Amino acid sequence: MADILTPALGESVTEATIGKWTKKAGDAVKKDEVLVELETDKVSLEVVSPADGILSEIKAPDGETVTPGAVLGVVSQGAAAAPAAEAPKAEAKAAPAPKAEAAPAAEPAPATPAPAAASAGAVPIMTPTMGESVAEGTMGTWLKKAGDTVAKDEMLVEIETDKVAVEVSAPAAGVLTIDAEAGSTVAPGQQIGSIAASGEGASPAPAAAAPASANAGSAQIKPGEEPHLSPAVQRVVTENNLDPKAIAATGPKGHITKADAIAAIGATAPAPAAAPAAPAAPRADQPREERVRMTRLRQTIARRLKESQNTAAQLTTFNEVDMTNVMALRAQYKEAFEKRHGVKLGFMSFFTKAIVAALKEIPAVNAEIDGTDIIYKNHYDIGVAVGTEKGLVVPVLRDADQLSLAGIEKGIAALGKAARDGDLTLDQLQGGTFTITNGGTYGSLMSTPILNAPQSGILGMHNIVQRPMAVDGQVLIRPMMYLALSYDHRIVDGKEAVTFLVRVKELLEDPARALLDL
């Protein structure tokens, strides 16, 4: 026997949501075969089989919240494979027995209606467990109305918490009763509805639907009802104002996958061209306010930034840098650089080199506090803030001190692409020692960046602006950029912070100093 365990999820990630199992209980599996995908606040994580054998038990079904180290399932190894494979068959044969008791008068024919009769007492729909630290959730919109007939395991409603979105499916087939309306707050274990037998007059309906149950996924979408969307797909649809009914579904049972939703973004891109057609009444058919629930990623960003603000003694010091020499160097060599290395020469590589040199001189800015200890880092893993459609993420460029300008540019380009495509791994998002954020990309003139805890420093780059400057007694127009260093005053003194920023300024204004190690 080998347990399938939830892997470590990262420094700041304490729980994950089970996505979808690729195998069923009783299926044969191979070692290192992907069995299930876990969704966290930041990334999706694949869990593989620890051994060859049979997936004998799934302990954490789809949609359940798990913590690192939790047992997700069990793989039976070796000779246990054959008996395990027989178990589903035995269950399948045993299943008709209750049906025979429920309808002894017509044993062969009414096999399908029999379960409805057996569940004459209403089956409650309960709020599932939502994680150790989650005490309540908010009801989303029910996909069915009270009185509708539902199939077993059909998706009914989604409950949103401060960490995850939990899907609730029908525990049995029958008629739906709703106890908790959309928007209401519910606690784990609370009854939010029930499923009752559809009754004698309605019993033919489930029987008629039974032959189509093999293709239930596609059948539920075709009649024109809203298709079932997973939390990841729902975010893409909501953020891009997509119509789920217009998206071509390629997933199992006719469900829309995340890739389907992303592909639909490009297909619907020309639609905004119709907007200028109604200039006369810009707000005639729009509400004055609109309330939209924050995504899980946005909630996590908000929580972590507030924790950083509450924990560290944050101060910001400013300086300005004349970008003349860096811009001239870049203009002189950018074509040869791109031809030689296959990547464009940007400003980030110059800044990264200057920052690493300054961190070596002022090690406190590259350190962090752990309780009453200071941890000085002798490696230089630079986080680079990247804005995406879902929010801000900070992938980490490892061992930046050992990279050339070309290596830095290639590394940052790869991380930026992975961030925008949603392909970042947990390892790429943790362990940074210092962070760079470039508000100048969006035209920012000056800002006070907030620390990326537990780091002690973050450098804010800003827009390059042509300004008159006094140079050797003359007024000259120079490309100037404001720099902002936010630092944790608990570990970094003001003198060290100012010295660090001046050192960065010197290395950028005279790039040859870095080459000569001056």
Side-chain angles (χ1 to χ4, degrees):
M1 302 284 285
D3 290 336
I4 306 167
L5 302 177
T6 306
L9 304 174
E11 294 175 352
S12 61
V13 184
T14 58
E15 61 182 22
T17 304
I18 300 291
K20 183 175 181 59
W21 284 86
T22 61
K23 296 284 186 176
K24 303 185 299 295
D27 286 353
V29 297
K30 296 180 179 180
K31 185 177 181 180
D32 296 329
E33 181 179 2
V34 176
L35 297 182
V36 67
E37 188 177 79
L38 305 181
E39 292 185 2
T40 73
D41 298 337
K42 299 176 180 177
V43 296
S44 295
L45 191 66
E46 293 180 340
V47 180
V48 300
S49 175
D52 294 335
I54 297 295
L55 180 58
S56 56
E57 183 179 3
I58 293 177
K59 294 190 175 183
D62 297 357
E64 185 167 314
T65 300
V66 294
T67 56
V71 179
L72 304 179
V74 178
V75 173
S76 301
Q77 299 170 277
E86 297 298 324
K89 298 179 182 178
E91 292 176 8
K93 292 178 181 178
K99 299 174 185 175
E101 294 177 12
E107 194 171 341
T112 303
S119 58
V123 179
I125 306 171
M126 312 300 289
T127 304
T129 302
M130 297 180 287
E132 294 178 358
S133 60
V134 182
E136 62 182 22
T138 303
M139 295 292 298
T141 302
W142 286 85
L143 304 181
K144 294 284 187 176
K145 301 187 297 293
D148 284 355
T149 300
V150 298
K152 184 179 180 181
D153 297 327
E154 182 178 358
M155 168 70 168
L156 297 180
V157 69
E158 193 174 75
I159 300 176
E160 297 184 1
T161 74
D162 58 349
K163 295 181 178 178
V164 296
V166 182
E167 296 180 348
V168 180
S169 302
V175 177
L176 173 66
T177 299
I178 295 175
D179 295 335
E181 297 294 338
S184 60
T185 300
V186 294
Q190 177 180 336
Q191 181 170 330
I192 58 176
S194 60
I195 304 291
S198 50
E200 200 171 322
S203 58
S213 62
N215 299 314
S218 57
Q220 293 166 8
I221 296 174
K222 289 179 180 178
E225 298 180 356
E226 288 292 335
H228 160 56
L229 304 179
S230 70
V233 174
Q234 182 66 60
R235 285 195 295 270
V236 176
V237 169
T238 302
E239 292 170 3
N240 295 279
N241 297 319
L242 301 177
D243 180 5
K245 297 178 182 177
I247 299 174
T250 62
K253 299 183 179 180
H255 288 174
I256 298 172
T257 66
K258 184 178 178 181
D260 296 336
I262 292 174
I265 296 175
T268 58
R283 291 196 319 207
D285 57 349
Q286 297 179 3
R288 291 180 64 86
E289 295 180 354
E290 184 178 2
R291 183 182 293 271
V292 179
R293 183 171 293 278
M294 295 169 68
T295 63
R296 287 171 53 195
L297 177 59
R298 176 56 59 187
Q299 292 177 31
T300 302
I301 291 172
R303 184 182 70 252
R304 292 203 63 199
L305 291 181
K306 188 58 182 174
E307 288 173 355
S308 173
Q309 188 180 54
N310 292 341
T311 302
Q314 298 195 39
L315 289 179
T316 304
T317 184
F318 300 92
N319 214 318
E320 59 184 353
V321 57
D322 185 342
M323 297 292 290
T324 300
N325 292 333
V326 169
M327 293 178 71
L329 190 64
R330 178 172 176 263
Q332 182 178 356
Y333 293 107
K334 65 178 182 180
E335 291 183 4
F337 186 92
E338 185 173 2
K339 185 180 295 185
R340 173 70 180 273
H341 301 291
V343 65
K344 292 182 178 180
L345 177 61
F347 294 123
M348 287 299 293
S349 53
F350 291 101
F351 272 87
T352 303
K353 280 289 187 184
I355 286 168
V356 169
L359 289 174
K360 290 180 178 180
E361 186 174 326
I362 313 294
V365 186
N366 200 47
E368 68 179 59
I369 291 179
D370 183 16
T372 57
D373 296 331
I374 297 176
I375 302 174
Y376 290 96
K377 308 294 181 68
N378 296 320
H379 57 98
Y380 304 89
D381 295 341
I382 308 300
V384 181
V386 179
T388 69
E389 292 182 354
K390 294 182 180 179
L392 186 71
V393 293
V394 187
V396 178
L397 183 68
R398 304 288 178 192
D399 298 317
D401 58 317
Q402 300 178 22
L403 299 176
S404 63
L405 292 178
I408 293 172
E409 292 291 355
K410 290 178 180 178
I412 291 176
L415 291 172
K417 184 179 185 302
R420 289 184 289 273
D421 294 345
D423 294 332
L424 288 172
T425 64
L426 281 172
D427 182 64
Q428 292 174 313
L429 288 166
Q430 60 188 19
T433 62
F434 185 89
T435 294
I436 307 173
T437 179
N438 186 5
T441 303
Y442 308 103
S444 171
L445 181 64
M446 184 181 289
S447 66
T448 56
I450 190 169
L451 288 174
N452 183 20
Q455 298 170 20
S456 295
I458 179 172
L459 182 78
M461 300 166 55
H462 299 91
N463 200 15
I464 299 174
V465 179
Q466 296 284 338
R467 290 194 282 117
M469 302 296 295
V471 181
D472 297 329
Q474 298 181 355
V475 177
L476 301 177
I477 303 300
R478 291 297 183 99
M480 304 299 296
M481 176 192 287
Y482 286 118
L483 299 180
L485 174 70
S486 291
Y487 60 97
D488 189 346
H489 208 351
R490 297 177 302 166
I491 184 174
V492 181
D493 293 332
K495 175 185 175 182
E496 293 174 311
V498 172
T499 302
F500 175 91
L501 200 53
V502 169
R503 183 65 170 151
V504 172
K505 169 185 168 70
E506 292 173 347
L507 291 168
L508 290 170
E509 290 185 341
D510 187 3
R513 295 175 67 98
L515 295 175
L516 298 173
D517 194 21
L518 296 176

